[in-house]
Amino acid sequence: MSDMLRLQDIDKSYPMGEERVQVLRQVSLTVQAGEFISILGASGSGKSTLMNIIGCMDTADRGSYSLDGEDVFRLDARQLAALRNRKIGFIFQRYHLLAQYDVLQNVMMPLLLRGFSHQQAAPLAVESLTAMGLGDRLRHRPNQLSGGQQQRVAIARALVKTPNVLLLDEPLSNLDARLRLQTREEIRKIQQETRVTTVFVTHDQEEAMSISDQIVVMKDGIFMQMGRPQEVYDDPASLFVAKFLGNPPINMFKGEVRKETLWLGDQPVLSVKGVPDQPVTVGIRPEGFILTENGPFAASLSRVEVMGRDVSVISSHPCSENPSVRSIITAETPVDRDAGSVHFSLKPSKVFLFHRETGARIPFSIS
Ligand code: ADP
Ligand code: MG
């Protein structure tokens, strides 16, 4: 595989009164040809700023960027526009369709801009729209279509010029839940068929986890962690990343390590080899609890929620940082709903320790 995008040490700031606010710090990213990578971060973390740089619509203060072998920051404005037109398909949260043109004309536009004749562009646009399930909507105006259909027109328009890189900046945010799910599956399917290198921006961790080869977790313009979704979920480098990924979210506790044992209050819940004595922040994934009579983790049972395949046991624990603790167990495990308390043992691979002050991960060996 070859590198399609390579950004190195990108800094970006914007003027704000007399000062400048730093929006991207030391961002480095390599995306290989054919890969699907998601950038995941809260609103304001710098995702769109980064996408605009990747999309050759903005430049950085510092750093370097090569796109398919071209040194982007050395190009002049005309060359940049040409590169953008040739190699990049951009899909935004708002569809940016031209209201006065019909669907077919909208999708033909990028080809006409590249000098294709009408006769050359039309069949390609029809093909692209048909692939998006809009073959019978060619003569409709954008405002005659639903939001989901309009976004599919935008996708067809981005794909019609067979870009080297497809950039999607929160493309599903304006759609309702069902359409969001359906459209994200379509995007992934098309990407797998075309193998177009794709950068997808979202604030929705489930969306990012479900469709990406790689995810990047971003906070305040910094890349916190990058890796395969399962790797990042199973091995978060920091408290921030552990909290960002997972639905339902990870359960947080205040704990203490003494003599290689993790204590929650007066409960010795887990053996943690190799960890020096210290106060810690503890994260336990909802699936990390095993209902065990006399298990070392004891909590007050609040209620049991049946979710079909799984059961959520909601309890409270004096060391919990949240009002309630949520554990997910299989529906086959019997829970005594009338018992006042509930006992668990913990799966060591689902328990993470973090430095109480810095939030950095503290590794321990599972014995
Ligand atoms: P995201 O897409 O993750 O929500 P953005 O990249 O849009 O984040 O914005 C990151 C930060 O940069 C925000 O604080 C935003 O206010 C600021 N910002 C974005 N664009 C500009 C601009 N053109 N001028 C000044 N500040 C900007
Ligand atoms: Mg944005």
Side-chain angles (χ1 to χ4, degrees):
M1 281 210 281
S2 60
D3 294 348
M4 177 59 73
L5 299 175
R6 179 194 280 273
L7 294 116
Q8 268 171 318
D9 298 327
I10 299 288
D11 284 342
K12 175 75 180 175
S13 60
Y14 289 114
M16 177 125 113
E18 306 280 280
E19 317 266 287
R20 294 187 75 84
V21 279
Q22 185 91 16
V23 178
L24 297 176
R25 293 163 202 269
Q26 294 283 300
V27 164
S28 294
L29 174 68
T30 301
V31 186
Q32 295 181 327
E35 238 184 343
F36 191 119
I37 186 161
S38 288
I39 296 175
L40 178 61
S43 176
S45 57
K47 305 182 299 294
S48 292
T49 300
L50 177 60
M51 286 295 258
N52 291 341
I53 292 173
I54 297 176
C56 305
M57 301 197 290
D58 200 354
T59 59
D61 302 345
R62 261 177 303 280
S64 65
Y65 173 25
S66 84
L67 165 60
D68 198 19
E70 293 195 67
D71 190 346
V72 175
F73 294 162
R74 284 175 193 267
L75 304 179
D76 64 29
R78 203 182 45 81
Q79 292 168 315
L80 268 182
L83 179 68
R84 200 159 58 219
N85 210 352
R86 231 171 345 115
K87 298 206 168 169
I88 292 172
F90 219 130
I91 299 169
F92 304 90
Q93 178 175 350
R94 303 197 171 281
Y95 324 120
H96 297 294
L97 300 175
L98 300 170
Q100 69 274 33
Y101 294 112
D102 68 26
V103 162
L104 182 63
Q105 289 167 323
N106 266 281
V107 175
M108 285 168 61
M109 197 68 70
L111 296 174
L112 299 178
L113 284 172
R114 267 171 70 182
F116 283 58
S117 71
H118 213 272
Q119 281 73 12
Q120 291 168 316
L124 293 171
V126 170
E127 191 188 338
S128 188
L129 281 161
T130 305
M132 290 310 300
L134 292 166
D136 56 349
R137 296 286 192 279
L138 304 179
R139 291 299 168 199
H140 286 59
R141 294 288 176 88
N143 65 8
Q144 296 174 299
L145 301 179
S146 69
Q149 289 170 328
Q150 290 184 51
Q151 190 56 302
R152 294 220 290 279
V153 175
I155 295 170
R157 181 185 54 185
L159 287 170
V160 73
K161 57 182 183 176
T162 53
N164 300 54
V165 179
L166 184 64
L167 304 177
L168 302 106
D169 191 350
E170 310 223 28
L172 310 179
S173 303
N174 280 0
L175 308 180
D176 66 43
R178 201 168 54 85
L179 256 178
R180 209 154 60 218
L181 194 67
Q182 187 192 334
T183 313
R184 98 180 178 207
E185 283 166 5
E186 280 169 7
I187 288 172
R188 182 52 162 164
K189 185 163 151 277
I190 287 168
Q191 195 273 338
Q192 281 173 333
E193 282 164 13
T194 60
R195 302 307 302 168
V196 58
T197 308
T198 302
V199 185
F200 181 92
V201 159
T202 179
H203 60 267
D204 179 334
Q205 57 94 23
E206 251 179 310
E207 213 165 87
M209 298 273 286
S210 61
I211 58 175
S212 315
D213 297 319
Q214 305 262 355
I215 60 171
V216 177
V217 180
M218 208 172 161
K219 181 195 180 197
D220 301 335
I222 296 172
F223 278 11
M224 302 293 287
Q225 193 169 353
M226 190 179 333
R228 304 206 160 270
Q230 193 71 48
E231 280 167 16
V232 180
Y233 181 82
D234 288 339
D235 198 10
S238 61
L239 179 60
F240 179 83
V241 173
K243 280 180 160 174
F244 209 98
L245 299 184
N247 183 25
I250 193 163
N251 299 287
M252 302 305 309
F253 303 86
K254 280 195 165 61
E256 179 100 29
V257 174
R258 289 196 300 272
K259 296 204 177 114
E260 301 193 313
T261 298
L262 172 62
W263 292 78
L264 296 182
D266 57 4
Q267 302 171 0
V269 295
L270 195 67
S271 151
V272 289
K273 283 249 157 57
V275 181
D277 290 5
Q278 63 191 297
V280 287
T281 301
V282 184
I284 309 176
R285 294 268 185 225
E287 66 275 22
F289 297 84
I290 307 163
L291 205 59
T292 314
E293 215 180 321
N294 304 321
F297 181 106
S300 311
L301 180 60
S302 307
R303 63 182 191 281
V304 177
E305 290 177 1
V306 178
M307 304 185 296
R309 188 162 42 89
D310 302 321
V311 164
S312 275
V313 178
I314 318 295
S315 61
S316 63
H317 190 283
C319 299
S320 174
E321 292 190 351
N322 319 100
S324 59
V325 178
R326 183 177 285 265
S327 352
I328 297 179
I329 58 177
T330 63
E332 285 83 56
T333 316
V335 188
D336 179 0
R337 292 164 191 241
D338 299 324
S341 64
V342 64
H343 292 257
F344 298 102
S345 52
L346 303 177
K347 295 179 191 166
S349 64
K350 296 291 180 182
V351 179
F352 307 124
L353 303 186
F354 304 97
H355 193 276
R356 187 68 78 72
E357 255 84 61
T358 65
R361 177 90 175 274
I362 305 168
F364 62 87
S365 24
I366 295 168
S367 51

